[in-house]
Amino acid sequence: MSPTATPRLRGAIGSARPQWVRAAATHLQVYLFLWVCAWVVVVVGIALALVIVDRVGAVTVSVAQFVRDGPLVWFLFAIGVVVVSAYLTPHVANGMTRRSFGRGALLAGTVNGVLNGVTAAAVVLLEGVLYDRMGWTHGTPGDSSEPGIWEQGAGVVVLDHTLTALAGSVSGLLVAVTYYRLGGWWGTLALPLTVLPVLFLMFTTAWREAPFMPWNIAGSAAYAVSALITLTAAAAFVLLVRRVPIARTES
């Protein structure tokens, strides 16, 4: 038997998966648990809101539309920040390369974004089915004459909510690694860029009619630009992680 036979056998039989796959698996375990918890809370909250509104008045506004900015953006953003802040140092300290951590974190964050985006779209669409059966108006709040995203077809809902979730997830990762690598002052100054994936979608959808909107992009062009911005943020995250100095911790 050659000297190299044993290492090869261990690699084939053992659990020596690539480091980035192990990192992604570790993050996904956390993501899946939080996904279940978050959407149980969201669905129960929507159901309670509908029951209360139906008892005291008429249901004329979609309740599920509000998951887009809270659970879908800032919740995933916060998870991305926590993942980098809590996992980067111990992963690298235990022998994982920075590149593997970055690839694994980005893969898991992408899966998490798609999973939550599709889930949110499904909740909105199922709410619309319920509204039709109950004879309720699945509309927008106030006197807005512009139809809601959920009123533009299932494809638009899935695309919009998935890109929104991806923007929140990737932006959280980028903000965290920027602060980790550049420090508080530079990390704060970089926020207009690191949070740009989220801000762009807000300005092109919920705040489209605001007088301070810095651009006028809508429809398919807005989604294409959003995807490009999120991809750029993902690339920036990978580049920043690759040579990030690992902070020393005291036991």
Side-chain angles (χ1 to χ4, degrees), residues 7-21:
R8 286 178 182 174
L9 184 62
R10 288 177 181 171
I13 296 178
S15 59
R17 295 174 295 172
Q19 288 186 338
W20 65 272
V21 174

PDB file of all heavy atoms in Angstrom, residues 7-21:
ATOM      1  N   PRO A   7      -4.522   8.572   3.541  1.00  0.00           N
ATOM      2  CA  PRO A   7      -5.196   9.865   3.478  1.00  0.00           C
ATOM      3  C   PRO A   7      -6.335   9.892   2.470  1.00  0.00           C
ATOM      4  O   PRO A   7      -7.379  10.471   2.717  1.00  0.00           O
ATOM      5  CB  PRO A   7      -4.075  10.835   3.090  1.00  0.00           C
ATOM      6  CG  PRO A   7      -2.836  10.185   3.600  1.00  0.00           C
ATOM      7  CD  PRO A   7      -3.069   8.729   3.399  1.00  0.00           C
ATOM      8  N   ARG A   8      -6.138   9.241   1.319  1.00  0.00           N
ATOM      9  CA  ARG A   8      -7.197   9.231   0.325  1.00  0.00           C
ATOM     10  C   ARG A   8      -8.413   8.468   0.828  1.00  0.00           C
ATOM     11  O   ARG A   8      -9.550   8.839   0.619  1.00  0.00           O
ATOM     12  CB  ARG A   8      -6.672   8.578  -0.965  1.00  0.00           C
ATOM     13  CG  ARG A   8      -5.719   9.470  -1.746  1.00  0.00           C
ATOM     14  CD  ARG A   8      -5.207   8.769  -2.978  1.00  0.00           C
ATOM     15  NE  ARG A   8      -4.249   9.608  -3.700  1.00  0.00           N
ATOM     16  CZ  ARG A   8      -3.561   9.203  -4.748  1.00  0.00           C
ATOM     17  NH1 ARG A   8      -3.700   7.941  -5.191  1.00  0.00           N
ATOM     18  NH2 ARG A   8      -2.727  10.022  -5.353  1.00  0.00           N
ATOM     19  N   LEU A   9      -8.143   7.348   1.555  1.00  0.00           N
ATOM     20  CA  LEU A   9      -9.245   6.570   2.096  1.00  0.00           C
ATOM     21  C   LEU A   9     -10.021   7.376   3.117  1.00  0.00           C
ATOM     22  O   LEU A   9     -11.253   7.372   3.131  1.00  0.00           O
ATOM     23  CB  LEU A   9      -8.695   5.287   2.731  1.00  0.00           C
ATOM     24  CG  LEU A   9      -9.731   4.276   3.273  1.00  0.00           C
ATOM     25  CD1 LEU A   9     -10.602   3.797   2.112  1.00  0.00           C
ATOM     26  CD2 LEU A   9      -9.037   3.105   3.952  1.00  0.00           C
ATOM     27  N   ARG A  10      -9.311   8.104   3.953  1.00  0.00           N
ATOM     28  CA  ARG A  10     -10.001   8.945   4.939  1.00  0.00           C
ATOM     29  C   ARG A  10     -10.847  10.008   4.266  1.00  0.00           C
ATOM     30  O   ARG A  10     -11.949  10.317   4.687  1.00  0.00           O
ATOM     31  CB  ARG A  10      -8.970   9.602   5.859  1.00  0.00           C
ATOM     32  CG  ARG A  10      -8.314   8.642   6.832  1.00  0.00           C
ATOM     33  CD  ARG A  10      -7.255   9.333   7.653  1.00  0.00           C
ATOM     34  NE  ARG A  10      -6.600   8.421   8.580  1.00  0.00           N
ATOM     35  CZ  ARG A  10      -5.541   8.728   9.287  1.00  0.00           C
ATOM     36  NH1 ARG A  10      -4.985   9.928   9.168  1.00  0.00           N
ATOM     37  NH2 ARG A  10      -5.011   7.845  10.107  1.00  0.00           N
ATOM     38  N   GLY A  11     -10.321  10.576   3.209  1.00  0.00           N
ATOM     39  CA  GLY A  11     -11.091  11.604   2.522  1.00  0.00           C
ATOM     40  C   GLY A  11     -12.336  11.045   1.886  1.00  0.00           C
ATOM     41  O   GLY A  11     -13.354  11.714   1.776  1.00  0.00           O
ATOM     42  N   ALA A  12     -12.278   9.762   1.447  1.00  0.00           N
ATOM     43  CA  ALA A  12     -13.436   9.177   0.795  1.00  0.00           C
ATOM     44  C   ALA A  12     -14.484   8.704   1.792  1.00  0.00           C
ATOM     45  O   ALA A  12     -15.674   8.770   1.554  1.00  0.00           O
ATOM     46  CB  ALA A  12     -12.983   8.000  -0.076  1.00  0.00           C
ATOM     47  N   ILE A  13     -13.996   8.180   2.950  1.00  0.00           N
ATOM     48  CA  ILE A  13     -14.924   7.588   3.901  1.00  0.00           C
ATOM     49  C   ILE A  13     -15.368   8.600   4.955  1.00  0.00           C
ATOM     50  O   ILE A  13     -16.518   8.630   5.373  1.00  0.00           O
ATOM     51  CB  ILE A  13     -14.268   6.363   4.588  1.00  0.00           C
ATOM     52  CG1 ILE A  13     -13.984   5.286   3.542  1.00  0.00           C
ATOM     53  CG2 ILE A  13     -15.150   5.813   5.687  1.00  0.00           C
ATOM     54  CD1 ILE A  13     -13.296   4.066   4.108  1.00  0.00           C
ATOM     55  N   GLY A  14     -14.477   9.433   5.414  1.00  0.00           N
ATOM     56  CA  GLY A  14     -14.783  10.338   6.506  1.00  0.00           C
ATOM     57  C   GLY A  14     -15.712  11.482   6.092  1.00  0.00           C
ATOM     58  O   GLY A  14     -16.198  11.544   4.981  1.00  0.00           O
ATOM     59  N   SER A  15     -15.898  12.372   7.026  1.00  0.00           N
ATOM     60  CA  SER A  15     -16.812  13.494   6.801  1.00  0.00           C
ATOM     61  C   SER A  15     -16.054  14.741   6.383  1.00  0.00           C
ATOM     62  O   SER A  15     -16.452  15.850   6.720  1.00  0.00           O
ATOM     63  CB  SER A  15     -17.612  13.774   8.082  1.00  0.00           C
ATOM     64  OG  SER A  15     -16.727  14.066   9.147  1.00  0.00           O
ATOM     65  N   ALA A  16     -14.932  14.545   5.689  1.00  0.00           N
ATOM     66  CA  ALA A  16     -14.095  15.678   5.311  1.00  0.00           C
ATOM     67  C   ALA A  16     -14.683  16.380   4.089  1.00  0.00           C
ATOM     68  O   ALA A  16     -14.124  16.349   2.996  1.00  0.00           O
ATOM     69  CB  ALA A  16     -12.672  15.212   5.031  1.00  0.00           C
ATOM     70  N   ARG A  17     -15.850  16.970   4.267  1.00  0.00           N
ATOM     71  CA  ARG A  17     -16.427  17.764   3.197  1.00  0.00           C
ATOM     72  C   ARG A  17     -15.617  19.043   3.051  1.00  0.00           C
ATOM     73  O   ARG A  17     -14.912  19.446   3.975  1.00  0.00           O
ATOM     74  CB  ARG A  17     -17.878  18.098   3.529  1.00  0.00           C
ATOM     75  CG  ARG A  17     -18.805  16.892   3.603  1.00  0.00           C
ATOM     76  CD  ARG A  17     -20.175  17.304   4.081  1.00  0.00           C
ATOM     77  NE  ARG A  17     -20.130  17.793   5.450  1.00  0.00           N
ATOM     78  CZ  ARG A  17     -21.162  18.362   6.079  1.00  0.00           C
ATOM     79  NH1 ARG A  17     -22.293  18.527   5.439  1.00  0.00           N
ATOM     80  NH2 ARG A  17     -21.049  18.757   7.327  1.00  0.00           N
ATOM     81  N   PRO A  18     -15.729  19.715   1.925  1.00  0.00           N
ATOM     82  CA  PRO A  18     -15.037  21.002   1.785  1.00  0.00           C
ATOM     83  C   PRO A  18     -15.427  21.960   2.907  1.00  0.00           C
ATOM     84  O   PRO A  18     -16.562  21.944   3.398  1.00  0.00           O
ATOM     85  CB  PRO A  18     -15.528  21.505   0.422  1.00  0.00           C
ATOM     86  CG  PRO A  18     -15.882  20.270  -0.324  1.00  0.00           C
ATOM     87  CD  PRO A  18     -16.426  19.313   0.703  1.00  0.00           C
ATOM     88  N   GLN A  19     -14.476  22.779   3.298  1.00  0.00           N
ATOM     89  CA  GLN A  19     -14.733  23.678   4.427  1.00  0.00           C
ATOM     90  C   GLN A  19     -15.922  24.600   4.173  1.00  0.00           C
ATOM     91  O   GLN A  19     -16.723  24.851   5.071  1.00  0.00           O
ATOM     92  CB  GLN A  19     -13.476  24.524   4.692  1.00  0.00           C
ATOM     93  CG  GLN A  19     -12.334  23.752   5.313  1.00  0.00           C
ATOM     94  CD  GLN A  19     -11.175  24.652   5.680  1.00  0.00           C
ATOM     95  OE1 GLN A  19     -11.022  25.748   5.148  1.00  0.00           O
ATOM     96  NE2 GLN A  19     -10.330  24.190   6.582  1.00  0.00           N
ATOM     97  N   TRP A  20     -16.051  25.097   2.953  1.00  0.00           N
ATOM     98  CA  TRP A  20     -17.141  26.030   2.682  1.00  0.00           C
ATOM     99  C   TRP A  20     -18.500  25.348   2.757  1.00  0.00           C
ATOM    100  O   TRP A  20     -19.502  25.968   3.129  1.00  0.00           O
ATOM    101  CB  TRP A  20     -16.949  26.709   1.330  1.00  0.00           C
ATOM    102  CG  TRP A  20     -17.008  25.797   0.137  1.00  0.00           C
ATOM    103  CD1 TRP A  20     -15.986  25.113  -0.419  1.00  0.00           C
ATOM    104  CD2 TRP A  20     -18.177  25.477  -0.626  1.00  0.00           C
ATOM    105  NE1 TRP A  20     -16.422  24.379  -1.496  1.00  0.00           N
ATOM    106  CE2 TRP A  20     -17.767  24.588  -1.652  1.00  0.00           C
ATOM    107  CE3 TRP A  20     -19.509  25.877  -0.559  1.00  0.00           C
ATOM    108  CZ2 TRP A  20     -18.656  24.082  -2.594  1.00  0.00           C
ATOM    109  CZ3 TRP A  20     -20.400  25.366  -1.500  1.00  0.00           C
ATOM    110  CH2 TRP A  20     -19.978  24.480  -2.502  1.00  0.00           C
ATOM    111  N   VAL A  21     -18.538  24.037   2.449  1.00  0.00           N
ATOM    112  CA  VAL A  21     -19.786  23.289   2.573  1.00  0.00           C
ATOM    113  C   VAL A  21     -20.150  23.126   4.045  1.00  0.00           C
ATOM    114  O   VAL A  21     -21.315  23.267   4.437  1.00  0.00           O
ATOM    115  CB  VAL A  21     -19.664  21.912   1.897  1.00  0.00           C
ATOM    116  CG1 VAL A  21     -20.907  21.064   2.153  1.00  0.00           C
ATOM    117  CG2 VAL A  21     -19.441  22.079   0.398  1.00  0.00           C
TER     118      VAL A  21
END
